[in-house]
Amino acid sequence: MEELKEFFSGLFSTSEWPPRWKCGYWSDFHGWLYIISELMVWTAYFLIPLIIINYVYKKHTGIKFKKVYFLFASFILLCGSTHFFDALMFWVPMYRFNALLRLVTGIVSLATVYHLVKILPYAFKQKTNLELEAEIAKREVAEHKLAEANKSLEAFAYIASHDLQEPLRKINTFSGMLFERNEATFDEKSKEQAKKIQGAASRMQTMIRDVLTLSTIDEAAELVPVDPAIAIQNALDDLEIPILEKGAEINVQPLPPVIGNEPYLTQLFLNLLSNALKFTTTQPIIHISGTKVADKVHIKISDNGIGMEEADLDRIFLAFQRLRSKKEYEGTGIGLAICKKIIDVHGGHIAVQSTPGSGTTFTIELQAADV
């Protein structure tokens, strides 16, 4: 213990040793060669940590193993300091401090080795530049194939909108004409079959229209400042007849402007309001409100409908997912999938809360418009 106290009490003492110039025989050439070499090494060891720290600072959001970078920087800086003091010892023989500096350097060196060993399994899993380039090449091929698939999808959309719907329109029209012309002579079974034909054709037309809408939503659609109240009013105009038939009460509060595509937002509100009108057993009461939170706008659409079980909420935004049978409520099971895709195009978020028998609330999050 006394030796330890004596060591630290004279940590910066230079009285017990002569300067290194006086230890043995140093020629000017030999001495200055040693000093300049040590200072060159110290300069490099001093600059390398600055480069590492600058790199970590600029890449701080995406860099991995930050602790090891700082340990490397500390280790290299300490190593450089030992070279600096070796040069300084030619004039200032602080041998105690030099010994302590080397001890700290050794501890940091071992800590660096320890963390290197720990991260090696993870480091080996990181992809090399060649592997990343190969992956990029694969993605480019996949994107090319996707572009080709999109062209095929556009061709399908054209077929769906023209070639498939035209025969269905004819089936619906001519079956209706046939029924009207022969209604007096049709027995009850024939009348029922004629109505089934018309119903099936109408459902198929609706499904084709919904699939067409889902498949043709453009992810690169232009987004501009939009008043959501206009999109809601457009949807309400389209739903005028079912609103009157059900005597629906719809309350729309003032809404903050958003960044969006008006036709797509109209389709979004049309689907959500249509569901609110459809899935109810009493007079529909619908509330629409919106608030601005930071740079987002949260729009809530609440109804007093039949609601949904919590276990079903995860799958309602998937295409062709129906929670109720076609006999109970008409529909294709695509409407909410269209809503989800529209929200994705806007870079927003849609969530749902529901209680069976107590209604449903959809919350839409969109980018606020600076107006």
Side-chain angles (χ1 to χ4, degrees), residues 196-214:
K196 285 184 177 180
I197 292 172
Q198 287 182 297
S202 296
R203 286 193 299 273
M204 181 61 74
Q205 280 183 305
T206 302
M207 182 173 291
I208 290 173
R209 185 181 63 248
D210 288 349
V211 169
L212 181 62
T213 300
L214 181 64

Side-chain angles (χ1 to χ4, degrees), residues 17 48 67 95 134 138 149 166 234-235 247 287 290-291 293 300 311:
W17 299 275
I48 290 172
K67 184 181 290 186
Y95 280 93
K138 287 181 180 178
E166 185 58 31
N234 292 338
H287 296 279
T291 55
V293 181
K300 293 183 181 290

Side-chain angles (χ1 to χ4, degrees), residues 321-361:
Q321 294 294 314
R322 296 181 57 89
L323 305 185
R324 305 281 177 170
S325 68
K326 294 179 182 178
K327 291 182 179 179
E328 291 181 282
Y329 299 96
E330 292 183 357
T332 59
I334 302 177
L336 289 179
I338 293 172
C339 292
K340 179 66 168 60
K341 190 168 182 179
I342 290 173
I343 290 296
D344 289 343
V345 167
H346 284 74
H349 180 71
I350 184 169
V352 58
Q353 292 179 312
S354 187
T355 303
S358 299
T360 300
T361 297

Side-chain angles (χ1 to χ4, degrees), residues 59-263:
K59 299 283 187 179
H60 69 281
T61 55
I63 200 168
K64 295 182 179 180
F65 315 126
K66 286 185 182 179
K67 184 181 290 186
V68 174
Y69 277 95
F70 285 115
L71 277 173
F72 259 118
S74 303
F75 159 63
I76 295 170
L77 187 61
L78 286 168
C79 285
S81 299
T82 62
H83 286 274
F84 175 80
F85 274 92
D86 267 353
L88 188 64
M89 298 277 275
F90 275 80
W91 297 277
V92 186
M94 292 189 296
Y95 280 93
R96 285 189 177 90
F97 183 77
N98 200 359
L100 181 62
L101 178 64
R102 290 174 181 275
L103 174 64
V104 174
T105 303
I107 293 171
V108 174
S109 303
L110 291 175
T112 304
V113 171
Y114 171 75
H115 280 88
L116 269 177
V117 171
K118 280 184 67 177
I119 69 166
L120 273 179
Y122 303 100
F124 283 133
K125 292 179 181 179
Q126 304 302 306
K127 295 180 180 179
T128 65
N129 286 341
L130 289 176
E131 289 173 327
L132 289 172
E133 287 173 4
E135 186 172 309
I136 290 171
K138 287 181 180 178
R139 288 187 179 181
E140 288 175 349
V141 172
E143 287 174 1
H144 177 72
K145 290 181 178 178
L146 182 60
E148 294 295 324
N150 285 336
K151 289 181 181 179
S152 299
L153 185 59
E154 290 175 4
F156 164 77
Y158 178 83
I159 293 172
S161 62
H162 295 84
D163 298 355
L164 290 180
Q165 292 201 59
E166 185 58 31
L168 284 172
R169 277 194 292 267
K170 288 183 178 179
I171 291 173
N172 210 354
T173 301
F174 287 115
S175 62
M177 291 171 59
L178 182 65
F179 177 75
E180 290 177 3
R181 188 178 301 168
N182 298 278
E183 185 178 5
T185 59
F186 274 2
D187 57 23
E188 290 302 318
K189 187 173 183 180
S190 298
K191 291 179 182 179
E192 183 182 348
Q193 290 173 341
K195 290 180 180 178
K196 285 184 177 180
I197 292 172
Q198 287 182 297
S202 296
R203 286 193 299 273
M204 181 61 74
Q205 280 183 305
T206 302
M207 182 173 291
I208 290 173
R209 185 181 63 248
D210 288 349
V211 169
L212 181 62
T213 300
L214 181 64
S215 64
T216 55
I217 292 175
D218 185 4
E219 295 184 0
E222 182 182 9
L223 303 180
V224 297
V226 174
D227 182 354
I230 296 176
I232 291 172
Q233 188 57 54
N234 292 338
L236 293 175
D237 290 342
D238 289 345
L239 294 170
E240 182 178 4
I241 293 177
I243 290 173
L244 292 173
E245 288 178 345
K246 294 207 169 187
E249 180 183 326
I250 301 177
N251 303 307
V252 183
Q253 296 181 7
L255 302 172
V258 300
I259 298 296
N261 180 283
E262 186 177 309

